Amino acid sequence: MAVHERTCLICKEKKEKKDLFRLVKSGETNYKFDEKQRQQSRGYYVCKSPECLKRLSKHKKIKMSSEDLMKMLSLLKKTEKDYLNILKAMKNSQALSFGMNMVLEDIEHTHFLVLAEDISEKNEKKLLAKARELKINYVYYGNKDQLGEIFGKNEVSVIAVKSKKMARGLID
Ligand SMILES: [Zn+2]
């Protein structure tokens, strides 16, 4: 039986369609995620893997919105889902605040919080009180160094997600 294989735009490997996300062009270098695989335009494909999505998010000639990247990342199998990769892919959008000062300033517009596992007790208390008051979901993930690395900083103890869509992808 002939299997219809497609090539990943990023790693150039040939795979079955079920192992790939379908994209369509929406401009010279812009692509959109074709979630339902129904758009009539020519399809382009990328592996359903955190590695290829991460490379895609940094690609100079294949540009996608962080919401589309986020959606694809959230569709990866749970075990493959990696908050750090998701946050890295989102960091250039306007959807993230980081650090105590910025996060507390933006807390009214925050839909989701990522707290470092080694956050200080004082900061943790402050944030959790706000989270309860405003009904914001949160998760502990990584340490301050790892969260800092996302933004090229030494240490970051908290990240706020300000886009509802992105927050949903992280919660699911
Ligand atoms: Zn690939």
Side-chain angles (χ1 to χ4, degrees):
M1 192 184 87
V3 179
H4 294 280
E5 292 190 316
R6 296 288 185 277
T7 307
C8 170
L9 271 175
I10 304 295
C11 68
K12 312 293 181 201
E13 260 182 62
K14 280 193 162 65
K15 292 190 174 172
E16 284 180 55
K17 274 168 113 175
K18 68 170 173 56
D19 296 321
L20 299 159
F21 287 122
R22 188 176 196 268
L23 316 177
V24 292
K25 261 195 164 173
S26 68
E28 192 64 27
T29 55
N30 292 303
Y31 292 75
K32 279 194 312 209
F33 176 33
D34 179 18
E35 189 175 4
K36 306 256 185 281
Q37 312 239 349
R38 268 186 216 138
Q39 292 193 35
Q40 292 299 310
S41 356
R42 185 182 157 197
Y44 297 82
Y45 295 85
V46 63
C47 296
K48 290 182 180 173
S49 79
E51 293 74 34
C52 283
L53 291 182
K54 200 170 148 195
R55 283 171 63 193
L56 172 64
S57 74
K58 291 186 200 149
H59 207 286
K60 298 245 172 355
K61 288 181 188 140
I62 306 168
K63 295 194 179 122
M64 296 200 66
S65 71
S66 25
E67 298 211 332
D68 271 0
L69 284 166
M70 194 37 231
K71 207 191 276 171
M72 291 190 283
L73 279 159
S74 70
L75 289 171
L76 295 180
K77 280 194 226 98
K78 269 263 189 312
T79 50
E80 290 170 3
K81 204 151 103 175
D82 180 343
Y83 277 102
L84 293 180
N85 277 333
I86 296 176
L87 293 167
K88 266 180 199 159
M90 289 160 57
K91 74 165 180 184
N92 293 323
S93 67
Q94 301 297 309
L96 299 181
S97 303
F98 60 92
M100 284 304 285
N101 292 341
M102 216 200 285
V103 168
L104 286 174
E105 219 168 273
D106 288 344
I107 199 81
E108 307 274 340
H109 311 286
T110 294
H111 297 282
F112 192 70
L113 288 169
V114 180
L115 278 65
E117 281 158 1
D118 55 350
I119 189 171
S120 75
E121 218 172 295
K122 190 179 118 213
N123 286 341
E124 183 183 27
K125 260 190 194 160
K126 239 189 242 176
L127 288 166
L128 294 191
K130 282 284 177 197
R132 262 190 298 269
E133 180 193 331
L134 301 165
K135 295 191 171 57
I136 302 167
N137 284 305
Y138 61 91
V139 70
Y140 292 89
Y141 196 86
N143 56 36
K144 288 192 274 191
D145 288 336
Q146 286 172 307
L147 297 189
E149 208 192 290
I150 295 171
F151 304 97
K153 306 270 176 206
N154 282 336
E155 290 189 338
V156 163
S157 52
V158 60
I159 298 173
V161 180
K162 294 181 287 177
S163 150
K164 231 184 221 173
K165 234 191 224 172
M166 290 181 184
R168 231 181 285 136
L170 285 164
I171 295 164
D172 286 343

